[in-house]
């Protein structure tokens, strides 16, 4: 737990090189997934739907943090504006449902586009739109580095926040309700356990994608772009497009999580676009352990648990969240995963 | 679209700009000298406003309150620097962002705990509540005019402090070469604490002055903090001149945009839609401005650092 006084983002290899059967880390990782899977199933059997939805919430927040972790932890791009993608994903689900419910077209020009309450369509739209938004924002922001990057990503997110706040068509600052949860073919998505399982599969896919990506040639280039971009450039790879692609994938994952979140709550409002939410996502990534595959999951579990149980005891729970966060940043840089599973090999 | 409205809104823009300058100058000094990005700067704004409101309510004197507010913010700044911030100077920006985000949570919830959730009352002193008639028959509130005056005085004082005094010389030296001024025998950690407390007290002053116009409540520092970040990014982080220019630019553009964009859109849209589109675009205007400036000048307009 000693703080390595490194200046750059964590110098952790993105993926463990050894694929040995079960070490301490393997046990912790399997335990995290097992707890996340078994508890809601048990709660469902006992009819405690509140806890099933709580598990869905953890899963979705973890998925959003997996997306952000790809940018911050693996890519070294400290994005302070990922709420923009989370919120955009949420609004895609909300706006699709709004037009499907009213049977009005989303737009009539240049092509006629109806609303939709099909989750597959909405997810595809959310991921694509977030990728597109991140392509524009990333293309501009990645021209800058350091504090400027942090600030410009924040500024873009604020731009979208204020836009959603003052654009009256979709509820403005009051937000947009989703009266009926959007549906899937063959699966009843309104059942809490089914919806949890959908989110769980989403989280697993996002983590598998991150893991595959970081083991590929692209992942090696991204790691080098974080550690030493001059060296990457010297070896003939331009760091800019590598970072941009990672940024876009990161945003698409977070955007998908946002769409899931809107349907879980049956509601989307500018709150999920606020800079506070961007900050919370960063907090989750750090609490869990930055640049580690299971870090976002560990962080999301800790965060939502604190919010739920500490928030049940005192309305000032964020004071304690602040103290915990301060302690983690100052004294325990490797987060929950570093604490439970030990450091990565070459830290 | 009368001239009176334009003058009035220009003055409002200047008033917002000068208050933003008070916030931004502290932020940019702290970044320029210590290389630290401080999200908790908005908390000092809030601390200043609360202390001013509390003291003004118990003594009945706005000026005593103001002095207490600045002092409280300076003390809070010095304490935070001594306990937390000095551990962060050699850390990554990510750590700095998170630790100071944690400080925001602690300050906001702590204040809510002490003072409750409902806003405190703070009104300008009675001798400043009237109106001033400006050339062109524009009536403008004395208090707001006074805020512009305070901003100008502080800007001049800061300029003199940085360019003419020994402390200013050390601050400039700290910006260009930290190790060297340490080697020359300047107590650098004391210098850092002083700079941080100075920035905090200016933020506290801004909070107290604006708190008398709006309301004194938890979270009041956050919108201003983000605007102040836009200001220093536009101006070039570390540059006081950039902070002044950026603050006035952001203040005027934001204020005029909110008034004139809806009017502009009404020219070629039905009024109900024009209000929505105009308001939405006006709210985004300064962020668009910042994105354009950064796209062409990635280090801001008056960058002091590379």
């Amino acid at each position: 737990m000693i703080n390595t006084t490194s200046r750059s983002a964590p110098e952790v290899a993105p993926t463990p090189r050894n694929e040995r059967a079960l070490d301490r880390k393997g046990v912790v990782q399997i335990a995290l997934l097992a707890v996340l899977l078994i508890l809601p199933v048990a709660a469902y059997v006992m009819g405690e739907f509140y806890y099933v939805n709580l598990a869905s919430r953890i899963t979705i927040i973890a998925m959003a943090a997996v997306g952000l972790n790809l940018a911050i932890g693996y890519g070294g791009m400290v994005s302070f504006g990922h709420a923009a993608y989370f919120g955009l994903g949420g609004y895609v689900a909300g706006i699709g449902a709004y037009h499907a419910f009213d049977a009005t077209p989303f737009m009539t020009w240049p092509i006629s586009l109806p609303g939709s309450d099909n989750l597959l369509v909405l997810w595809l739209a959310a991921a694509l739109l977030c990728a597109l938004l991140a392509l524009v924002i990333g293309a501009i922001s990645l021209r800058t580095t350091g504090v400027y990057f942090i600030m410009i990503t924040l500024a873009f997110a604020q731009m979208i926040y204020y836009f959603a706040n003052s654009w009256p068509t979709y509820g403005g600052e009051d937000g947009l309700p989703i009266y009926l949860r959007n549906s899937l073919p063959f699966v009843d998505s309104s059942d809490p356990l089914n919806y949890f399982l959908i989110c769980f599969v989403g989280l697993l896919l996002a983590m598998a994608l991150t893991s595959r990506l970081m083991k590929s040639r692209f992942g090696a280039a991204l790691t080098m772009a974080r550690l030493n971009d001059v060296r990457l450039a010297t070896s003939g790879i331009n760091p800019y497009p590598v970072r941009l692609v990672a940024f876009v994938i990161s945003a698409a994952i977070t955007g998908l999580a946002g769409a899931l979140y809107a349907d879980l709550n049956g509601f989307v409002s500018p709150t999920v676009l606020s800079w506070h939410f961007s900050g919370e996502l960063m907090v989750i990534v750090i609490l869990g352990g930055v640049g580690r595959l299971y870090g976002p999951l560990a962080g999301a579990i800790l965060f939502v648990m604190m919010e739920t149980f500490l928030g049940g005891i005192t309305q000032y729970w964020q004071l304690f969240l602040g103290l915990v966060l301060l302690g983690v940043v100052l004294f325990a840089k490797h987060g929950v995963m570093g604490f439970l599973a030990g450091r990565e090999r070459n830290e | 679209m009368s001239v009176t409205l334009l003058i009035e809104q220009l003055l409002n823009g200047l008033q917002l700009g000068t208050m933003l300058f008070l916030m931004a100058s502290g932020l940019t000094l702290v970044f320029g000298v210590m290389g630290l990005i401080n999200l908790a700067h908005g908390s000092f704004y809030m601390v200043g406003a609360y202390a001013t409101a509390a003291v003004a309510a118990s003594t009945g004197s706005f000026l005593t309150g103001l002095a207490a507010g600045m002092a409280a913010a300076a003390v809070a700044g010095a304490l935070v620097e001594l306990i937390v911030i000095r551990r962060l100077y050699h850390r990554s920006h990510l750590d700095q962002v998170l630790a100071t985000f944690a400080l925001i949570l602690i300050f906001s919830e702590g204040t809510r705990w002490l003072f409750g959730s409902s806003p405190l009352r703070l009104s300008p002193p009675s001798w400043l509540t009237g109106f001033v008639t400006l050339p062109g028959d524009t009536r403008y509130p004395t208090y707001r005019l006074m805020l512009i005056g305070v901003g100008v005085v502080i800007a001049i004082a800061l300029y003199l402090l940085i360019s003419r005094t020994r402390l200013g010389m050390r601050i400039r030296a700290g910006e260009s070469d930290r190790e060297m001024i340490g080697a020359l025998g300047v107590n650098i950690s004391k210098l850092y604490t002083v700079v941080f407390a100075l920035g905090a007290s200016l933020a506290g002053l801004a909070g107290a002055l604006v708190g008398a116009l709006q309301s004194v409540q938890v979270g009041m520092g956050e919108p201003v903090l983000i605007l102040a970040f836009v200001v220093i990014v536009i101006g070039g982080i570390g540059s006081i001149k950039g902070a002044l220019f950026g603050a006035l630019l952001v203040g005027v553009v934001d204020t005029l945009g909110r008034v004139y964009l809806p009017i502009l859109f009404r020219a070629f849209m039905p009024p109900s839609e024009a209000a929505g589109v105009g308001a939405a675009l006006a709210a985004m205007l300064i962020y668009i401005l910042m994105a354009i400036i950064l796209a062409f000048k990635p280090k801001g307009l008056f960058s002091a650092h590379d």
Side-chain angles (χ1 to χ4, degrees), chain A residues 3-10 72-73 78 80 140 143-156 158-160 162-164 166-168 275-280 282-286 290 314-333, chain B residues 31 37 39 83-84 87-107 109-110 112-113 116-117 178 222-223 225-226 229-230 232-233 236-238 258 272 275-277 279-281 283-284 287-291 294-300 303 305:
Chain A
N3 129 53
T4 56
T5 49
S6 56
R7 275 169 178 275
S8 61
I72 291 187
V78 183
F80 202 165
I140 298 175
R143 286 168 48 84
T144 66
T145 51
V147 187
Y148 289 93
F149 182 80
I150 301 177
M151 288 303 136
I152 195 169
T153 47
L154 172 64
F156 275 116
Q158 286 298 104
M159 211 189 275
I160 292 161
Y162 284 117
F163 182 76
S166 42
W167 185 262
W275 74 283
H276 235 269
F277 189 76
S278 292
E280 281 175 6
M282 284 169 89
V283 168
I284 287 163
V285 170
I286 303 311
V290 67
T314 162
Q315 54 168 317
Y316 307 110
W317 75 277
Q318 291 216 333
L319 179 65
F320 298 98
L321 174 69
L323 291 172
V324 169
L325 178 61
L326 201 55
V328 168
V329 174
L330 290 182
F331 305 113
K333 268 199 76 176
Chain B
F31 188 84
I37 171 170
L39 295 186
I83 297 169
V84 178
R87 297 170 202 275
L88 295 171
Y89 293 138
H90 296 293
R91 296 292 198 84
S92 65
H93 291 314
L94 176 62
D95 286 355
Q96 297 175 350
V97 165
L98 285 160
T100 51
F101 185 75
L103 285 174
I104 294 183
L105 297 178
I106 294 170
F107 268 106
E109 292 307 312
R112 207 192 301 276
W113 206 337
S117 296
R178 278 169 238 179
E222 293 174 7
L225 172 80
I226 299 205
F229 272 124
V230 172
I232 67 171
V233 167
I237 300 179
R258 280 172 205 280
S272 61
V277 176
L281 201 62
M284 295 162 66
Y287 299 101
I288 297 172
L289 181 72
M290 167 175 164
L294 278 198
F296 291 101
K297 299 203 72 166
K299 301 277 178 196
S303 177
H305 274 251

